[in-house]
Amino acid sequence: MEAVEMKEINVGLVGYKFMGKAHSNALSRLGMFFDCSAQVNKRAICGRDEEWLKKSAEKFGWDSYETRWENLVVRKDIDAIDITAPSNAHKVIAISAAENGKHVFCEKPLAVNLADARDMLECVKKNGVKNQIGFNYRFAPAVQLAKNMIVQGKIGTIRHVRASYLQDFIIDPEFPLIWRLKKEVCGSGSLGDLGAHFIDLARFLVGDFKSVMGMQKTFIESRPIVESMTGLSAQASNKASRGLVDVDDGSVFIAEFENGALGVFEATRFAQGHKNDLSIEINGDKGSVKFVFERMNELQYYSADDEAGLQGFRLIQATEGIHPYMAAWWPTGHVIGYEHTFVHEMYEFYEAVANDKPASPDFADGVECSRVLEAVELSAQRRAAVDIRSL
Ligand code: SOE
């Protein structure tokens, strides 16, 4: 019998720091754990600092490297471009990649503003390439379980959603002015970096936003110029030379959804003691679900249908083979972590590419998220509610 040849998809990755490493790891795990329709190859990694890049290429297992993304996107041996560079670089790279016929995976937020996000969406549509955005928390099995339960009507009609994303890594006023604090590079601060995740989770689990009303604050207005950074750690060279922070340190907003639900949201990097504390709770008339990322293998569930006298929140360990994605990993109870969410999103993207199916969440979801981000900013400036459909 003739052996059937497996399809191959060759990837070019832009970025080699925090997200670059997370994506490289995910691609390395794919074929080992999942039955993929195609073999996904780590063909080339791209970044500006050649010394770092060379080391990263070797360490993360990429076949080759490029120091200019312009060279990467035209390479004939590459089918898909994965963008993990800072947000202001997303648009130009994604558009060039799509114009060169490459499928595009892009980290969140899609762009530094809504207009750019819309241009990116238009371009991938025009060029007919698959596209996906890196809303990785959707891919925690417990979140997928919550989605399935909501679709099955287990919590009934949704009335409330409350979500927060709390970090504390920039509380020290001497923490340097990293790119995540410069509007022209990142678009917005805690809102776009952290809020983008819960806006997406709320859209995924509850539905589309109708209107929002927000407040934003910058607590520390100037910081020492950054010399180097890795992950979320950074060093300043000379503490006397400072620059202005022009994004929000904390953002809060309330929202109304198209389906009538109400929402309360908080994103901050000033919540002392909270390291990466993303949580979302949804209350329906028949029950509630709650997901807390720092306990990401669990889903809390309350059912009003439980026997009287025995009602209460139960803790579901979403680690059984019947839970989404878990059959690919370890025996029940052998928990998974942050990096697995990236493996799951990559699995979905490359399955979509291999089988010519739409990917999800896609750039249209990225645009919807950017719409909400922009509406929150506008409402904070105007001190009034903003209707999402007005943007
Ligand atoms: C930094 O605040 C950050 O790494 C975000 O950029 C990620 O999207 C989030 O998942 C964790 O925190």
Side-chain angles (χ1 to χ4, degrees), residues 15-16 46-53 66-69 86:
Y16 47 74
C46 173
R48 280 177 299 194
D49 179 337
E50 193 163 357
E51 212 182 304
W52 255 90
L53 184 61
E66 295 284 351
T67 52
R68 300 188 72 234
W69 63 262

Side-chain angles (χ1 to χ4, degrees), residues 17 42 64 149 152 171 209 257 300 355 359 361 376-377:
K17 296 239 170 132
K42 302 208 299 294
S64 61
M149 290 167 68
Q152 288 161 15
I171 290 181
F209 285 72
F257 287 76
Q300 296 178 50
N355 298 302
V376 172
E377 288 198 310

Side-chain angles (χ1 to χ4, degrees), residues 45 54 124 133 182 210 224 226 239 245 268:
I45 186 169
K54 230 174 139 177
V124 290
I133 177 166
K182 294 303 299 170
K210 188 172 183 208
V226 64
K239 295 220 166 158
V245 175
T268 181

Side-chain angles (χ1 to χ4, degrees), residues 18 108 137 165 167 169 180 193-194 197 232 276 338:
F18 181 13
K108 46 55 63 176
Y137 295 114
Y165 200 150
Q167 295 183 338
F169 76 103
R180 289 175 198 275
D193 188 33
L194 305 178
H197 282 300
L232 297 183
N276 197 41
Y338 177 61

Side-chain angles (χ1 to χ4, degrees), residues 2 21 25 42 59 103 122 169 190 198 248-249 254 287 290 303 305 341 344 357 361:
E2 242 180 73
K21 195 183 222 177
N25 173 63
K42 302 208 299 294
K59 204 165 171 190
H103 306 293
E122 197 187 301
F169 76 103
S190 61
F198 59 52
D248 53 294
D249 285 331
I254 51 175
K290 183 169 183 183
S303 170
D305 290 336
T341 60
H344 302 164
K357 290 198 175 131

Side-chain angles (χ1 to χ4, degrees), residues 215-235:
M215 274 193 192
Q216 300 189 284
K217 196 106 191 170
T218 304
F219 301 116
I220 306 294
E221 286 178 348
S222 87
R223 291 180 178 272
I225 302 297
V226 64
E227 186 184 54
S228 62
M229 82 175 278
T230 34
L232 297 183
S233 319
Q235 288 74 42

Side-chain angles (χ1 to χ4, degrees), residues 356-390:
D356 194 17
K357 290 198 175 131
S360 173
D362 63 5
F363 280 17
D365 293 296
V367 166
E368 286 313 308
C369 176
S370 292
R371 238 171 140 190
V372 179
L373 294 173
E374 203 140 302
V376 172
E377 288 198 310
L378 270 179
S379 88
Q381 284 155 19
R382 294 179 188 161
R383 299 203 156 249
V386 169
D387 192 334
I388 303 299
R389 276 180 278 182
S390 71

Side-chain angles (χ1 to χ4, degrees), residues 75-142:
R75 268 177 61 163
K76 296 266 180 292
D77 62 339
I78 284 181
D79 307 300
I81 297 291
D82 182 347
I83 306 167
T84 67
S87 317
N88 63 340
H90 292 182
K91 179 179 171 179
V92 65
I93 302 174
I95 287 185
S96 300
E99 284 172 344
N100 280 286
K102 315 294 185 200
H103 306 293
V104 192
F105 188 102
C106 185
E107 258 307 326
K108 46 55 63 176
L110 193 54
V112 290
N113 58 47
L114 176 59
D116 284 0
R118 283 189 165 133
D119 290 346
M120 290 165 75
L121 172 60
E122 197 187 301
C123 180
V124 290
K125 275 189 178 166
K126 194 169 126 204
N127 289 284
V129 295
K130 306 286 173 221
N131 51 96
Q132 190 168 319
I133 177 166
F135 289 132
N136 59 303
Y137 295 114
R138 271 196 193 201
F139 296 94

